[in-house]
Amino acid sequence: MMAACMADGVSVLSNVAQEPEVIDLADFLTDCGACVEGAGTDKLYIKGRIQLHGSEYNIIPDRIETGTFLLAAAITRSCISMSPVFPDHLSCLKDKLLAAGCRIMQQTHDTLQISAVPEHIGYDLQGFDVKTGPFPGFPTDLQPQTVALLSTCIGSSTVEESVFENRMGYVRELQKLGHRIQVCGSTALVFGKEKGSHSYGSQVSATDLRGGVSLVLAGLAAEGITEISGVNHIDRGYENLEAKLQLLGASVTRLSPIAIQL
């Protein structure tokens, strides 16, 4: 898309992702003088320009970070508010959390409050089934965090990954924390807490971004201390994650590497 903005003639991009981030990039490029049409559909028409110009532009909030904090509130049975967020960008996750029993209130146009406190909602959270898909489907980048949540819910749940292959490797680490999960290909069968899952602290390793943050969420809900190595993977997608969790009352500490004297 960016290359086509300054290429000669008209470029047509087909089978384009319809994620909000693609639309936001198109809006930014248009603000810089580019000619991009069709953003939000699967086909873009881009007329090349000789040059672009500078612009001041506010990018949209990170919907995956927002979704991660919604799931963090759910897994810890807490109540938090978040701003700024674009609720329409997370409609699929919101529907699943509402079906599980969470209460979600849009306080302003860009502020969401979620409550999973049993005393507020009147019961514990129920499991649900998920199949990932391109936007507006359930985000694949929230799949690992959702599996962590489902292990703490009532009942059994099925999570099917239909976007990427081999995205269930993190399950082995969740199992070290007591989560009862069976994986067959791209599908995970998650057993809730009354089906044998029990969260307890352990030493685990993050091997990728989203799988790594699922371990953080699981650790927040586990009994005892969870120690996660490989947090550099998590840092790629979450800025100051531990500081934000601390502001919400979580007991999270980043350990400095131990210097070894030779």
Side-chain angles (χ1 to χ4, degrees):
M1 187 195 305
M2 291 186 287
C5 287
M6 298 190 69
D8 291 337
V10 176
S11 300
V12 180
L13 307 184
S14 301
N15 197 31
V16 175
Q18 301 174 45
E19 270 77 0
E21 293 79 14
V22 176
I23 300 173
D24 201 43
L25 175 59
D27 289 344
F28 169 67
L29 292 171
T30 300
D31 214 41
C32 293
C35 180
V36 182
E37 298 180 355
T41 71
D42 64 352
K43 185 170 288 188
L44 294 180
Y45 300 87
I46 304 173
K47 183 177 181 180
R49 301 294 198 194
I50 296 177
Q51 68 178 24
L52 303 180
H53 54 74
S55 172
E56 290 188 11
Y57 188 85
N58 292 322
I59 62 173
I60 59 175
D62 185 341
R63 63 193 170 100
I64 303 303
E65 183 180 31
T66 300
T68 298
F69 276 95
L70 287 173
L71 289 161
I75 200 172
T76 57
R77 307 302 193 264
S78 303
C79 179
I80 66 172
S81 295
M82 290 173 289
S83 179
V85 301
F86 284 12
D88 290 346
H89 292 175
L90 285 165
S91 296
C92 200
L93 175 63
K94 282 170 49 189
D95 290 344
K96 293 294 184 182
L97 291 175
L98 288 169
C102 295
R103 291 184 181 177
I104 301 177
M105 179 185 302
Q106 186 168 337
Q107 296 177 310
T108 68
H109 73 283
D110 65 350
T111 303
L112 278 183
Q113 181 188 75
I114 177 173
S115 177
V117 180
E119 291 79 6
H120 292 173
I121 64 177
Y123 40 77
D124 203 357
L125 300 184
Q126 304 292 314
F128 51 85
D129 296 335
V130 171
K131 181 178 180 180
T132 64
F135 187 85
F138 196 91
T140 180
D141 282 343
L142 290 175
Q143 178 253 105
Q145 303 93 304
T146 302
V147 169
L149 166 66
L150 291 172
S151 292
T152 72
C153 295
I154 301 220
S156 299
S157 307
T158 301
V159 178
E160 182 181 351
E161 174 59 55
S162 69
V163 178
F164 293 118
E165 295 181 351
N166 303 319
R167 202 164 195 189
M168 296 285 183
Y170 66 91
V171 167
R172 292 188 297 272
E173 301 302 305
L174 285 179
Q175 289 169 339
K176 295 178 183 178
L177 298 173
H179 294 215
R180 188 180 169 212
I181 307 168
Q182 294 179 357
V183 176
C184 181
S186 60
T187 301
L189 177 60
V190 186
F191 297 93
K193 56 186 180 181
E194 92 290 3
K195 298 285 187 178
S197 284
H198 179 73
S199 298
Y200 46 80
S202 183
Q203 292 184 334
V204 291
S205 177
T207 58
D208 65 86
L209 169 56
R210 307 304 176 184
V213 81
S214 76
L215 300 177
V216 174
L217 300 195
L220 293 175
E223 296 179 9
I225 297 174
T226 299
E227 183 176 320
I228 305 171
S229 60
V231 294
N232 56 297
H233 294 289
I234 302 173
D235 291 337
R236 293 192 299 106
Y238 298 90
E239 184 179 14
N240 299 324
L241 177 61
E242 68 272 20
K244 294 173 183 176
L245 290 172
Q246 288 165 1
L247 287 174
L248 294 171
S251 177
V252 182
T253 304
R254 181 182 290 259
L255 302 178
S256 301
I258 299 176
I260 301 177
Q261 295 182 350
L262 300 178

